[in-house]
């Protein structure tokens, strides 16, 4: 029989000392967050009982408390054998805190409780929302306000502050006996915690160097000395020394020289004094208009030292061109949270897509009970949600991320009566947001995103004999008419779906209600019958949807014709029927022929979604990116599959050096697991530009790996290229584990020494995981 040694019970005085230490640590972390003596923070550190809501029959009291690190929440659990780690979640994982009944769970299961006592925690990943009820309005306000402040202040911390906060938290975790000292054994455990494997000899050498008091334990200044050794950036020291004087100051003049010579900054003379004022922590240096090594590091870790051009974080492109001249961030079967066959449908999926910058969402509408239309993936076992709830969610979140127009793509399978209900819901809920008439009488081409700001457009079928969307004469008294049916669900390659369709019988036509037809102005759905005859041009507002395979075939065989079609018309592309797992296709080849609405499954992480989000972080994350001139020019002869000489932009040579990595996260949460990182650089663009190169593997170091490897890429069409940096944990026997990535348009690259702030698999930023690189872009001869 195995025996377990019982932990010795602490005395009352020991408990009091530990409590006081914990209080001091919490106070220090509060100060680091800029929340000294904040009432909400104090309440959260004390904790409170909250009712956790899971269903109509599951509502249980649990204790929640902010930990002393001010970055994790501990939650009480009644489950047997639950690990301590599973009872904690990080505030960094929270996307939003919503008051009242603002989630499906609260809407369904907490309507009996006043809104002022309710709030929900929304997580960044696919985790379910945490719906909570406080015992009073004051308690709810403390939690909502307190969490909001911590999130806001954490986000506003600079990289150095985040690193310091993280390392001190890890130090505290490694201090098992909580004596505020660090033994050699605790130091070795700490190094594993921060993702670095150090042999016993090296660990002992660091320990002895810092242990000035020779007490076999590090404390106070000795721990700070250890912190400095750990966070030393020798590669940055080397750059700094080249431009600084003997006293360790970089003059404003030398900073100008660095910005001009290395960073390729054209406005270096104006930028240098501003950077000193913004990032230099030493007041003496700041007064002397100079920069210390600390200020230099803070600059390189900041937005100004980022690989992504900070001027592209706001809308900088011409937004007054016709709508068809832009790529539009678009989601396929937006209501689905998981797969296409059995997964849940949710209004939360619309909220997530819209907050990720999506500007075109899809609604598959079917007759529901009580004369209320529902949304789900027809012929499948996906769950059902009310059409009206989705329209409310769209109204509430359409313009929180971007002010530019949202397109509702309707796939309509409803009876005439329920179509009238759909039209009524859209007009009454969306009100002035819903576009119901042409802008400024525009009858010959699309209005611009600028003209359509704050507007919601409907894409759908239109009665053929009714007056057309731009107001020319027609039969306006028609009540309903048969129109061709568009049924993407029927294309799914799944046996259960095929059986369901056969049993129900499927018509190729659908009776369309005039009321629903009236909501369609600029996006009339029509079947594609080939590229138009110039002598019989189609109306500009007629648009077609294509499966990925059909669109790729057209791009391959008739690239230039497809580009010309997409100058005047909108094209929507959606995933093939066999993608029942909600996998995605590569959007690049379709963007390269000017297709605007290239719809992906936003719920599925992977290379395709990384590239997608990389493209749309450009132009202020507005969801609209202006196509290059050669994809908008009516005389263009550009064909991405057969590139000839033309005005497609100057060919470029990308010289890239991967220097180092910082604080890469652990992939395997096991205490003894350390990552073996390698970096792959990928170019995504026209076929000639597609390429990838990778570094060597650095063994057992995710904390500060050094590569110092150089790569060269030739870029034929820079305007269509994206660059993706991927960090993986190398594994010789199985597939490499994903650590982080960052993707951006080639045209948004900044030159010189830059940090890349890595993103998680779901596209959210890590707090302090970076790559340090050098970028040089040259014109090809």
């Amino acid at each position: 029989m195995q025996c377990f040694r019982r932990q010795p019970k602490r005395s009352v005085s020991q408990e009091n000392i530990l409590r006081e230490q914990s209080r001091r640590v919490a106070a220090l972390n509060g100060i680091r967050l800029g929340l000294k003596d904040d009432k909400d923070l104090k309440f959260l550190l004390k904790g409170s009982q909250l009712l956790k809501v899971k269903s109509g029959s599951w509502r249980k009291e649990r204790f929640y408390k902010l930990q002393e690190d001010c970055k994790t929440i501990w939650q009480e659990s009644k489950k047997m054998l639950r690990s301590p780690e599973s009872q904690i979640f990080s505030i960094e994982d929270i996307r939003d805190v919503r008051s009242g009944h603002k989630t499906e769970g609260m809407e369904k299961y907490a309507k009996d409780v006043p809104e002022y006592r309710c709030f929900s925690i929304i997580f960044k990943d696919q985790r379910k929302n945490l719906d909570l009820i406080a015992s009073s309005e004051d308690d709810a306000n403390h939690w909502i306000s307190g969490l909001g402040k911590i999130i806001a202040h954490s986000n506003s911390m600079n990289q150095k502050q985040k690193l310091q906060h993280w390392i001190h938290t890890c130090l505290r975790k490694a201090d098992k006996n909580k004596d505020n000292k660090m033994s050699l054994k605790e130091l070795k455990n700490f190094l594993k915690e921060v993702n670095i494997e150090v042999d016993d000899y090296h660990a002992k050498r660091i320990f002895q160097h810092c242990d000035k008091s020779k007490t076999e334990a590090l404390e106070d200044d000795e721990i700070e000395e250890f912190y400095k050794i750990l966070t030393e950036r020798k590669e940055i020291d080397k750059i700094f020394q080249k431009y600084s004087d003997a006293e360790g100051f970089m003059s404003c003049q030398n900073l100008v020289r660095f910005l001009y010579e290395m960073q390729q900054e054209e406005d270096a003379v104006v930028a240098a004094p501003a950077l000193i004022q913004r990032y230099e922590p030493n007041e003496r240096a700041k007064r002397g208009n100079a920069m210390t090594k600390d200020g230099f590091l803070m600059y390189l870790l900041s937005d100004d030292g980022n690989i992504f051009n900070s001027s592209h974080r706001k809308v900088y492109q011409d937004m007054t061109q016709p709508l068809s001249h832009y790529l539009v961030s678009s989601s396929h079967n937006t209501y689905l949270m998981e797969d296409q066959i059995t997964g849940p449908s949710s209004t939360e999926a619309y909220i997530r897509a819209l907050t990720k910058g999506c500007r075109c969402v899809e609604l598959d509408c079917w007759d529901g009970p009580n004369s209320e239309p529902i949304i789900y993936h027809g012929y499948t076992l996906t769950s059902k949600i009310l059409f009206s709830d989705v329209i409310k969610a769209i109204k509430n979140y359409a313009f929180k991320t971007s002010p530019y127009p949202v397109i509702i793509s309707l796939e309509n399978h409803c009876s005439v009566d329920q179509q009238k209900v759909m039209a009524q819901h859209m007009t009454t809920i969306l009100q002035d947001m819903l576009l119901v008439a042409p802008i400024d009488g525009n009858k010959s081409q699309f209005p611009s995103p600028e003209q359509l700001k704050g507007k919601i457009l409907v894409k759908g079928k239109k009665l053929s004999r009714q007056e057309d969307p731009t107001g020319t004469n027609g039969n306006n008294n028609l009540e309903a008419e048969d129109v061709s049916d568009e049924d993407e669900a029927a294309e799914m390659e799944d046996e259960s779906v095929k059986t369901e369709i056969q049993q129900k019988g499927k018509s190729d036509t659908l009776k369309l209600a005039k009321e629903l037809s009236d909501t369609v102005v600029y996006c009339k759905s029509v079947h594609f019958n080939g590229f138009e005859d110039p002598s019989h041009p189609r109306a500009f507002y007629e648009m077609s949807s294509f499966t990925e395979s059909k669109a790729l075939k057209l791009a391959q065989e008739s690239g230039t014709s497809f580009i010309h079609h997409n100058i005047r018309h909108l094209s929507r592309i959606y995933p093939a029927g066999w993608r029942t797992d909600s996998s995605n296709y590569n959007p690049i080849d379709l963007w390269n022929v000017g297709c605007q609405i290239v719809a992906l499954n936003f719920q599925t992480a992977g290379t395709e979604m990384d590239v997608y989000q990389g493209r749309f972080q450009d132009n202020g994350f507005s969801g609209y990116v202006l196509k290059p001139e050669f994809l908008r020019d009516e005389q263009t002869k550009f064909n991405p599959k057969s590139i000839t000489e033309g005005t497609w932009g100057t060919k470029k040579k990308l010289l890239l050096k991967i220097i180092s990595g910082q604080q890469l996260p652990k992939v395997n949460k096991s205490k003894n697991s350390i990552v073996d990182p390698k970096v792959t650089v990928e170019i995504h663009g026209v076929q000639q530009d597609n390429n990838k190169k990778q570094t060597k593997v650095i063994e057992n170091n995710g904390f500060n790996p050094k590569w110092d490897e150089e790569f060269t890429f030739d870029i034929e069409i820079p305007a269509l290229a994206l660059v993706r940096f991927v960090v993986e944990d190398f594994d010789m026997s199985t597939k490499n584990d994903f650590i982080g990535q960052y993707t951006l348009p080639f045209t948004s690259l900044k030159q010189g020494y830059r940090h890349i702030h890595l993103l998680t698999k779901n596209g959210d930023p890590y707090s302090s995981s970076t790559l340090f690189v050098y970028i040089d872009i040259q014109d090809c001869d």
Side-chain angles (χ1 to χ4, degrees):
M1 181 178 171
Q2 190 176 3
C3 295
F4 294 93
R5 186 191 296 170
R6 291 186 65 185
Q7 293 292 319
K9 193 175 179 183
R10 295 190 184 105
S11 67
V12 174
S13 62
Q14 284 175 320
E15 287 289 348
N16 288 337
I17 291 168
L18 285 174
R19 251 196 302 274
E20 179 56 26
Q21 284 178 356
S22 179
R23 190 196 63 76
R24 282 206 308 269
V25 169
L28 182 61
N29 285 323
I31 291 167
R32 284 189 183 127
L33 280 169
L35 294 172
K36 184 183 178 183
D37 296 329
D38 183 85
K39 288 179 183 176
D40 294 322
L41 185 70
K42 284 181 176 177
F43 179 88
L44 266 58
L45 286 163
K46 188 179 174 185
S48 75
Q49 296 285 350
L50 296 168
L51 277 175
K52 183 176 178 180
V53 181
K54 279 190 176 180
S55 69
S57 58
W58 201 103
R59 189 187 286 185
K60 295 183 181 178
E61 197 171 69
R62 296 286 183 262
F63 188 76
Y64 289 82
K65 179 183 182 297
L66 178 67
Q67 302 284 82
E68 65 188 28
D69 61 7
C70 294
K71 59 189 283 189
T72 50
I73 303 278
W74 180 83
Q75 53 185 337
E76 177 189 15
S77 175
K78 304 286 185 179
K79 285 183 181 176
M80 296 290 290
L81 304 175
R82 188 166 180 181
S83 67
E85 289 80 13
S86 67
Q87 289 182 255
I88 291 171
F89 63 85
S90 171
I91 285 177
E92 285 175 6
D93 295 335
I94 298 174
R95 184 181 300 283
D96 192 15
V97 181
R98 295 184 202 151
S99 60
H101 303 143
K102 299 276 175 50
T103 63
E104 282 182 0
M106 282 300 200
E107 193 72 36
K108 283 182 186 173
Y109 311 127
K111 275 294 197 183
D112 59 313
V113 181
E115 283 209 66
Y116 55 74
R117 283 176 51 205
C118 301
F119 66 99
S120 301
I121 293 173
I122 316 300
F123 293 101
K124 287 178 180 175
D125 51 26
Q126 300 298 324
R127 233 182 311 181
K128 289 180 179 174
N129 300 336
L130 182 57
D131 293 324
L132 299 165
I133 300 171
S135 58
S136 69
E137 183 177 2
D138 280 351
D139 282 10
N141 288 337
H142 278 309
W143 277 102
I144 295 162
S145 178
L147 288 173
K149 286 178 195 172
I150 296 170
I151 292 166
H153 285 257
S154 296
N155 290 341
S156 65
M157 287 169 82
N158 63 46
Q159 288 295 118
K160 194 171 181 185
Q161 289 170 322
K162 286 179 183 176
L163 174 61
Q164 191 178 26
H165 192 173
W166 176 64
I167 285 180
H168 280 281
T169 299
C170 292
L171 283 166
R172 179 85 178 152
K173 202 171 173 183
D175 182 13
K176 295 296 182 189
N177 60 1
K178 306 300 178 196
D179 62 356
N180 283 340
K181 298 177 184 178
M182 183 176 281
S183 66
L184 177 60
K185 183 181 178 184
E186 286 173 333
L187 180 137
K188 283 157 76 174
N189 285 337
F190 164 78
L191 290 171
K192 285 180 182 175
E193 188 69 38
V194 298
N195 210 359
I196 184 169
E197 182 76 73
V198 177
D199 60 52
D200 288 352
Y201 169 77
H202 190 54
K204 195 168 184 179
R205 220 176 73 189
I206 297 172
F207 186 83
Q208 287 173 343
H209 172 82
C210 297
D211 185 19
K212 309 289 186 193
S213 59
K214 308 297 180 193
T215 58
E216 296 297 312
L218 306 185
E219 52 186 315
D220 301 331
D221 292 344
E222 294 169 340
I223 290 176
E224 285 303 314
E225 175 70 15
F226 170 64
Y227 169 80
K228 282 179 184 172
I229 291 171
L230 196 66
T231 56
E232 199 172 29
R233 295 284 302 272
K234 288 181 181 175
E235 72 276 33
I236 288 177
D237 293 351
K238 193 175 171 183
I239 302 163
F240 183 78
Q241 283 165 11
K242 187 179 173 183
Y243 291 89
S244 61
D245 60 26
E247 292 183 24
F249 290 102
M250 184 188 286
S251 67
C252 186
Q253 188 178 354
N254 280 346
L255 179 57
V256 168
R257 198 159 59 85
F258 169 76
L259 293 173
Y260 186 72
E261 292 174 357
M262 307 308 299
Q263 307 296 77
Q264 306 290 308
E265 298 284 8
E266 293 176 5
D267 61 345
V269 175
V270 176
L275 292 175
I276 290 169
Q277 291 305 309
R278 199 173 299 145
Y279 300 114
E280 179 50 56
N282 183 307
E283 286 302 322
R284 181 187 152 209
K286 198 184 277 190
R287 283 194 301 272
N289 208 17
M291 198 173 247
T292 62
K293 189 166 66 178
D294 280 350
F296 187 63
L297 174 59
M298 286 173 73
Y299 150 64
L300 286 174
L301 282 167
S302 75
D303 214 30
D304 289 300
N306 199 310
I307 193 171
F308 184 80
N309 189 332
S310 60
S311 69
H312 292 189
R313 292 196 192 283
K314 57 181 183 293
V315 174
Y316 68 95
Q317 295 176 345
D318 178 7
M319 300 303 281
T320 64
Q321 302 216 16
L323 198 66
S324 54
H325 287 192
Y326 299 83
L327 305 180
V328 184
S329 179
S330 307
S331 159
H332 170 249
N333 287 356
T334 313
Y335 47 90
L336 293 177
M337 299 285 281
E338 295 170 10
D339 66 71
Q340 305 283 312
I341 304 293
T342 60
S345 304
S346 172
T347 55
E348 195 61 46
Y350 286 90
I351 296 169
R352 289 183 182 183
L354 290 166
T355 52
K356 281 186 174 182
C358 179
R359 299 288 85 193
C360 179
V361 294
E362 187 177 2
L363 285 67
D364 285 3
C365 311
W366 299 78
D367 279 358
N370 306 315
S371 301
E372 281 294 339
I374 54 171
I375 290 173
Y376 83 112
H377 205 192
Y379 319 112
T380 71
L381 299 174
T382 56
S383 63
K384 301 170 175 69
I385 50 178
L386 286 174
F387 177 85
S388 58
D389 286 345
V390 170
I391 298 301
K392 286 173 192 170
I394 292 171
K395 179 192 176 180
N396 291 333
Y397 288 88
F399 304 111
K400 283 190 181 293
T401 300
S402 165
Y404 292 101
V406 167
I407 300 169
I408 292 176
S409 180
L410 290 182
E411 189 175 308
N412 169 29
H413 305 278
C414 291
S415 62
V416 169
D417 285 345
Q418 293 213 12
Q419 287 176 43
K420 290 177 181 177
V421 176
M422 286 165 61
Q424 185 183 8
H425 282 321
M426 286 194 286
T427 52
T428 56
I429 295 169
L430 299 177
Q431 298 179 339
D432 291 345
M433 286 182 180
L434 184 66
L435 187 78
V436 291
I439 296 280
D440 298 334
N442 198 333
K443 300 177 184 178
S444 58
Q445 65 174 16
F446 283 108
S448 69
E450 190 65 33
Q451 289 173 298
L452 292 166
K453 262 185 175 177
K455 289 296 181 184
I456 295 173
L457 286 67
V458 176
K459 171 202 162 285
K461 289 290 181 178
K462 189 86 178 161
L463 294 176
S464 61
R465 296 199 303 278
Q466 187 190 9
E467 71 173 343
D468 74 48
T470 60
T472 53
N473 292 329
N475 179 1
N476 201 28
N477 298 315
L478 198 65
E479 287 302 315
E481 177 187 77
D482 284 343
V483 294
S484 59
D485 188 19
E486 287 185 346
D487 193 352
E488 291 171 20
E491 298 171 18
M492 275 195 294
E493 295 178 20
D494 179 84
E495 288 307 314
S496 61
V497 170
K498 289 177 181 175
T499 304
E500 184 77 8
I501 292 168
Q502 285 172 354
Q503 287 174 351
K504 287 189 174 179
K506 184 182 173 302
S507 170
D508 290 334
T509 60
L510 172 85
K511 201 167 278 298
L512 179 65
K514 176 184 177 297
E515 289 84 351
L516 190 59
S517 175
D518 284 345
T519 64
V520 176
V521 178
Y522 284 119
C523 302
K524 177 184 176 182
S525 295
V526 297
H527 280 291
F528 180 74
N529 295 314
F531 297 118
E532 68 188 16
D533 178 351
S535 60
H536 296 90
R538 274 169 45 185
F540 74 89
Y541 52 78
E542 293 185 345
M543 64 174 291
S544 300
S545 293
F546 307 84
T547 64
E548 62 177 276
S549 52
K550 169 81 179 198
L552 287 168
K553 188 170 186 289
L554 288 171
Q556 180 71 39
E557 296 175 359
S558 313
T560 307
S561 297
F562 211 171
I563 289 168
H564 279 277
H565 174 83
N566 289 326
I567 291 170
R568 195 159 176 269
H569 299 278
L570 291 173
S571 290
R572 176 178 167 272
I573 320 300
Y574 59 93
W578 56 266
R579 295 187 184 275
T580 54
D581 60 349
S582 293
S583 62
N584 280 314
Y585 56 96
N586 187 345
I588 296 280
D589 286 339
L590 300 159
W591 287 335
N592 288 351
V593 290
C595 295
Q596 304 88 349
I597 301 176
V598 181
L600 294 197
N601 292 304
F602 268 49
Q603 72 272 34
T604 306
T607 304
E608 297 81 10
M609 203 62 213
D610 294 343
V611 167
Y612 206 86
Q613 291 298 84
R615 169 56 73 201
F616 286 106
Q617 72 166 313
D618 195 7
N619 201 30
F621 200 51
S622 63
Y624 285 85
V625 172
L626 185 65
K627 294 191 279 189
E629 173 65 30
F630 56 81
L631 294 182
R632 296 180 275 125
D633 178 9
E634 293 188 359
Q635 307 305 315
T636 190
K637 292 183 171 57
F638 180 73
N639 184 346
K641 298 297 179 184
S642 177
I643 292 170
T644 56
E645 290 299 317
T647 55
W648 327 134
T650 307
K651 297 176 188 176
K652 302 287 183 182
K653 189 177 286 291
L654 172 62
L655 306 170
L656 179 62
K657 186 176 185 181
I658 305 291
I659 301 170
S660 60
Q662 294 76 40
Q663 292 86 59
L664 303 178
K666 281 192 170 196
V667 175
N668 185 330
K669 296 300 179 188
S670 160
K671 177 182 162 187
N672 294 314
S673 172
I674 311 293
V675 301
D676 304 322
K678 71 163 192 171
V679 181
T680 304
V681 184
E682 304 169 353
I683 306 295
H684 298 262
V686 296
Q687 200 165 340
Q688 291 95 313
D689 291 344
N690 292 339
N691 199 351
K692 69 177 177 180
K693 297 179 181 181
Q694 55 192 39
T695 66
K696 60 182 177 285
V697 176
I698 304 294
E699 293 186 355
N700 292 324
N701 187 352
F703 184 74
N704 55 5
K706 307 278 191 304
W707 288 280
D708 283 323
E709 290 191 56
E710 296 181 3
F711 305 117
T712 303
F713 297 92
D714 290 324
I715 311 293
E716 184 95 13
I717 311 290
L720 298 179
L722 291 106
V723 187
R724 182 172 183 253
F725 298 85
V726 193
V727 187
E728 293 176 307
D729 180 14
F730 177 74
D731 195 312
M732 195 172 286
S733 56
T734 61
K735 187 181 175 186
N736 296 339
D737 288 318
F738 175 91
I739 293 176
Q741 70 83 32
Y742 188 77
T743 308
L744 74 165
F746 180 85
T747 51
S748 295
L749 280 171
K750 288 289 278 183
Q751 297 190 68
Y753 289 102
R754 303 287 169 180
H755 278 97
I756 297 170
H757 295 259
L758 295 172
L759 305 178
T760 67
K761 186 183 282 188
N762 290 304
D764 297 305
Y766 284 115
S767 63
S768 53
S769 299
T770 53
L771 293 178
F772 187 51
V773 300
Y774 179 75
I775 305 280
D776 185 28
I777 299 170
Q778 300 172 0
D779 291 347
C780 285
D781 298 332

